[in-house]
């Protein structure tokens, strides 16, 4: 729903390495972006939400060879895993970029040329300890000794001494300009603790960065020197401007969506996004993004999930077991966004049964079945508002302001906490007003109470759509809210008394342990 009258909002995920099996860690980053994208769309923004896959580099070249395939055929195949994940998790991305696409090659070569013109790139020799598995060079001091006299990177990957001609980006010249940029844009790096880490890293001094390779072929050729391919970060990071139409900087797409509002990344790649990327962009005369948020890791049994450790949880498996919206809710509610956090079966079941089934599900179910039984299955008639009614409706109506604030600082858990405060207040209101006891004594007041509750549930359901789109659609169906009255502008309207309602149905089933104990 693009439109010049709407404010643009461009949000991106990292592009994922295709040679990895997608797991819940990858799903987590994209989920956060999806929820933001959905929230902003409902709030009237013109959203562009980008995700995709990172497909060049030596690792893929090698993996393709091992599989007896051409690199392109190999990445075509494995990048499908990430499209599958996007479907399984119900992501609403507007574009899916692959770094092996022609549009991306064009953008990479264009930014490279600009960097050369601006005297930011020169030819030199690279010598250093290189770990193929990490696609990274390491300083001698970072390595430890492994078996058989081998050198190991901090990740445990084997590092080897490599010397080759290489183009370099003059990162060492960017120290002061980066620090000035952070100073002038205090929200550029979030959370704040990570901003301080990045600033001290820059203060400790920056070395020029090797940005090309001659030892492998699977990459974007360097313009005018095709013996070199671009080394992974210049290629990978450029995806964000490729998808905004670069190098056509005059285009509608580029002028509208660049600079991006938010690059969401895991803390493992924050350095590349907050040091290299703004330096590349400023070096090429392009504005840096407005914000980079570095979130924490999801830990399974205390360790970051990875294929090599073998502790990978697949998002598809969690969804099959617990339900899609349940998993979406849990991941953003359980771990304060930004910090590292544990996920487990026990806490998942706790959230499903208490927050979803008991608190929110029961609230909706109780209200809708009382209406079905006692109000002829139609939206009841409101009455004059008692102080308790005003208090509850005030809380429900005030929620949107709190959510905007929470989402604008990527505080997903706070957004959900604030929402569940209203759920809790509504449940207390049901108990205090005891509409079932008013049925005989004061049917008009019973109807008024049920109207206030139905309105509250409508508010909650509309505002929870970004996190649980399918479940909330069902809830809004049961309140007979028309499809075009489900955005945040519609919060100002009200349920129309007398509107017939469908037969109520529970939206959040309890999770019963497979053993049957539960
Ligand atoms: N291809 C690069 C990124 C290039 S962006 C221009 C890359 N890919 S990756 O597939 O290894 O990881 C991408 C992201 O996945 C991480 O930054 C992080 O956001 C997410 N996660 C991977 N494992 C994770 C966890 N265990 N927990 C949370 N997020 C994790 O790096």
């Amino acid at each position: 729903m693009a439109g010049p009258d709407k404010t643009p909002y461009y949000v991106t995920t990292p592009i994922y390495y295709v040679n990895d099996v997608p797991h819940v860690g990858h799903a987590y980053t994209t989920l956060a972006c999806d929820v933001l994208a959905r929230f902003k769309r409902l709030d009237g923004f013109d959203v562009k939400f980008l995700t995709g896959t990172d497909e060049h580099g030596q690792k893929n070249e090698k993996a393709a060879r091992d599989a007896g395939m051409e690199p392109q055929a190999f990445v075509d195949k494995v990048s499908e895993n990430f499209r599958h994940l996007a479907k399984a998790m119900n992501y609403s991305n507007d574009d899916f970029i692959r770094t092996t696409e022609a549009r991306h090659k064009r953008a990479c070569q264009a930014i490279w040329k600009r960097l050369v013109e601006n005297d930011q790139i020169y030819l030199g020799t690279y010598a250093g300890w290189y770990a193929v598995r990490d696609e990274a060079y390491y300083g001698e001091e970072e390595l430890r000794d492994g078996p058989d006299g081998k050198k190991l990177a901090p990740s445990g990957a084997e590092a080897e001494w490599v010397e080759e001609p290489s183009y370099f980006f003059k990162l060492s010249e960017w120290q002061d300009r980066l620090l000035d940029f952070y100073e002038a844009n205090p929200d550029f790096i979030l959370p704040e603790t990570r901003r301080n880490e990045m600033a001290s890293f820059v203060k400790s001094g920056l070395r020029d960065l090797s940005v090309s390779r001659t030892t492998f072929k699977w990459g974007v050729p360097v313009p005018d020197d095709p013996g070199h391919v671009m080394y992974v970060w210049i290629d990978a990071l450029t995806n964000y401007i490729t998808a905004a139409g670069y190098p056509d900087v005059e285009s509608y797409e580029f002028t509208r969506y660049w600079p991006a509002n938010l690059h969401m990344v895991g803390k493992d790649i924050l350095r590349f996004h907050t040091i290299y990327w703004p330096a590349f962009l400023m070096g090429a005369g392009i504005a840096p993004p407005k914000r980079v948020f570095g979130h924490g890791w999801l830990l399974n049994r205390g360790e970051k999930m990875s294929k090599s450790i073998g502790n990978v949880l697949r998002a598809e498996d969690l969804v099959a077991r617990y339900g899609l919206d349940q998993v979406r809710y849990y991941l953003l509610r359980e771990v304060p966004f930004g910090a590292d956090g544990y996920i487990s079966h026990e806490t998942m079941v706790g959230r499903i049964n208490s927050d979803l089934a008991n608190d929110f599900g029961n609230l909706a179910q109780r209200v809708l079945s009382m209406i079905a039984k006692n109000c002829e299955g139609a939206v009841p008639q409101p009455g004059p508002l008692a102080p308790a009614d005003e208090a509850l409706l005030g809380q429900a109506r005030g929620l949107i302001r709190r959510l905007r604030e929470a989402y604008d600082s990527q505080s997903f858990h706070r957004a959900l906490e604030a929402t569940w405060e209203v759920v809790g207040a509504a449940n207390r209101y049901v108990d205090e007003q005891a509409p079932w006891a008013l049925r005989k004594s004061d049917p008009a007041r019973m109807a008024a109470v049920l109207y206030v509750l139905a309105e509250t549930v409508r508010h909650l359901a509309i505002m929870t759509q970004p996190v649980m789109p399918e479940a909330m659609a069902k809830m809004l169906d049961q309140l007979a809210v028309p499809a075009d009255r489900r955005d945040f502008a519609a919060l100002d309207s009200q349920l129309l008394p007398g509107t017939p309602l469908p037969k109520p149905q529970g939206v959040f089933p309890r999770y019963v342990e497979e053993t049957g104990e539960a």
Side-chain angles (χ1 to χ4, degrees):
M1 253 172 286
D5 50 327
K6 293 180 164 188
T7 309
Y9 187 84
Y10 180 23
V11 55
T12 67
T13 75
I15 46 171
Y16 300 99
Y17 287 133
V18 277
N19 61 333
D20 215 350
V21 182
H23 59 64
V24 67
H26 306 121
Y28 183 60
T29 311
T30 312
L31 171 64
C33 296
D34 181 60
V35 169
L36 264 181
R38 289 175 183 271
F39 186 88
K40 289 288 178 184
R41 284 189 203 108
L42 289 167
D43 211 11
F45 286 75
D46 165 17
V47 171
K48 179 178 173 70
F49 165 25
L50 175 72
T51 187
T53 43
D54 193 350
E55 306 188 355
H56 286 130
Q58 198 168 2
K59 269 198 277 188
N60 286 320
E61 199 177 71
K62 213 169 141 202
R65 221 182 12 248
D66 293 348
M69 294 170 87
E70 284 302 313
Q72 188 64 54
F74 175 76
V75 296
D76 286 349
K77 180 167 159 252
V78 286
S79 91
E80 277 305 309
N81 296 335
F82 283 89
R83 287 197 196 249
H84 187 263
L85 175 70
K87 242 197 150 111
M89 291 296 293
N90 196 11
Y91 297 143
S92 63
N93 52 296
D94 303 287
D95 194 354
F96 187 101
I97 190 163
R98 299 182 50 194
T99 53
T100 51
E101 290 172 84
R103 59 172 171 164
H104 184 62
K105 180 174 162 194
R106 177 168 167 254
C108 287
Q109 293 188 329
I111 192 173
W112 184 283
K113 281 188 187 150
R114 285 300 296 276
L115 289 170
V116 170
E117 278 158 26
N118 295 349
D119 194 24
Q120 295 295 315
I121 285 182
Y122 63 92
L123 185 62
T125 303
Y126 197 90
W129 292 98
Y130 184 68
V132 176
R133 202 176 90 197
D134 299 349
E135 297 196 21
Y137 275 95
Y138 292 96
E140 181 98 46
E141 70 290 352
E142 291 178 279
L143 301 176
R144 59 194 158 83
D145 292 324
D148 313 324
K150 284 179 179 149
K151 293 282 186 191
L152 300 182
S155 62
E158 194 181 313
E160 49 192 337
W161 184 256
V162 173
E163 268 180 45
E164 57 176 313
S166 169
Y167 285 96
F168 284 82
F169 173 77
K170 293 183 178 170
L171 188 62
S172 60
E173 292 181 355
W174 284 90
Q175 186 170 341
D176 291 341
R177 275 174 290 181
L178 283 170
L179 292 171
D180 291 347
F181 178 71
Y182 300 161
E183 183 89 21
N185 300 279
D187 287 340
F188 172 62
I189 305 173
L190 284 185
E192 201 177 327
T193 48
R194 302 243 153 86
R195 170 176 9 119
N196 300 335
E197 281 169 31
M198 293 302 121
S200 24
F201 187 86
V202 173
K203 279 183 200 143
S204 74
L206 297 173
R207 280 185 286 181
D208 287 352
L209 192 71
S210 162
V211 289
S212 77
R213 287 288 173 273
T214 53
T215 44
F216 63 93
K217 290 269 156 284
W218 187 236
V220 179
V222 166
D224 308 318
D225 196 351
H228 289 251
V229 293
M230 291 181 201
Y231 171 59
V232 57
W233 284 103
I234 234 177
D235 169 354
L237 290 161
T238 299
N239 92 85
Y240 302 129
I241 52 173
T242 302
Y246 189 81
D248 301 327
V249 293
E250 307 289 329
S251 65
Y252 174 81
E253 193 78 3
F254 196 81
T255 51
R256 185 151 185 81
Y257 296 110
W258 194 261
N261 296 76
L262 177 68
H263 292 327
M264 178 69 80
V265 300
K267 62 179 184 179
D268 47 333
I269 53 172
L270 194 61
R271 203 194 275 184
F272 309 116
H273 282 77
T274 58
I275 299 174
Y276 299 2
W277 186 223
F280 293 159
L281 287 168
M282 290 192 273
I286 306 167
K290 291 182 188 151
R291 177 175 298 171
V292 180
F293 191 103
H295 68 69
W297 287 344
L298 288 184
L299 304 172
N300 183 14
R301 297 188 209 102
E303 290 190 276
K304 184 177 182 246
M305 262 168 265
S306 84
K307 199 165 62 171
S308 43
I309 300 177
N311 63 346
V312 165
L313 290 175
R314 290 182 66 241
E316 287 94 333
D317 294 341
L318 296 184
V319 168
R321 181 159 188 196
Y322 304 105
L324 170 59
D325 281 350
Q326 283 80 351
V327 170
R328 290 175 58 107
Y329 171 79
Y330 170 77
L331 290 177
L332 293 179
R333 177 66 189 82
E334 184 62 18
V335 179
F337 201 74
D340 287 352
Y342 293 94
I343 55 175
S344 71
H345 172 72
E346 291 70 28
T347 52
M348 173 84 82
V349 172
R351 293 276 173 205
I352 291 175
N353 287 346
S354 76
D355 300 8
L356 298 183
N358 286 353
D359 297 345
F360 195 10
N362 244 349
L363 169 69
Q365 184 68 10
R366 272 160 107 188
V367 170
L368 288 161
S369 33
M370 278 189 277
I371 293 176
K373 267 196 219 115
N374 305 310
C375 308
E376 289 159 12
V379 174
Q381 283 295 329
L385 291 180
D389 306 349
E390 302 228 26
L392 180 61
L393 287 173
Q395 249 187 298
R397 290 179 183 141
L399 182 59
I400 188 65
R401 272 194 307 277
R402 299 177 67 192
L403 294 189
R404 283 192 185 115
E405 212 182 284
Y407 281 121
D408 280 337
S409 52
Q410 287 72 54
S411 231
F412 299 91
H413 61 290
R414 276 209 295 122
L416 289 168
E417 254 163 43
T419 308
W420 259 253
E421 277 173 30
V422 180
V423 170
N427 276 320
R428 282 193 298 281
Y429 173 92
V430 181
D431 294 340
E432 282 158 19
Q433 301 297 318
W436 52 88
L438 294 165
R439 194 160 61 96
K440 290 239 162 64
S441 60
D442 191 348
R445 176 66 191 151
M446 176 201 68
V449 165
L450 291 175
Y451 185 85
V452 167
L453 283 164
E455 258 300 291
T456 304
V457 172
R458 182 182 73 95
H459 272 79
L460 288 167
I462 286 180
M463 287 184 267
T464 310
Q465 290 175 100
V467 180
M468 298 190 281
E470 287 183 350
M472 293 304 103
K474 279 189 205 150
M475 212 178 260
L476 291 166
D477 288 347
Q478 298 191 36
L479 286 165
V481 176
D484 61 355
R485 307 308 288 281
R486 295 182 180 191
D487 60 7
F488 299 156
L491 289 170
D492 291 337
S493 67
Q494 288 194 14
L495 287 167
L496 195 65
T499 310
L501 299 179
K503 193 166 173 291
Q505 273 175 338
V507 166
F508 295 120
R510 287 184 66 79
Y511 182 87
V512 180
E513 291 294 350
E514 276 149 18
T515 56
E517 290 160 16

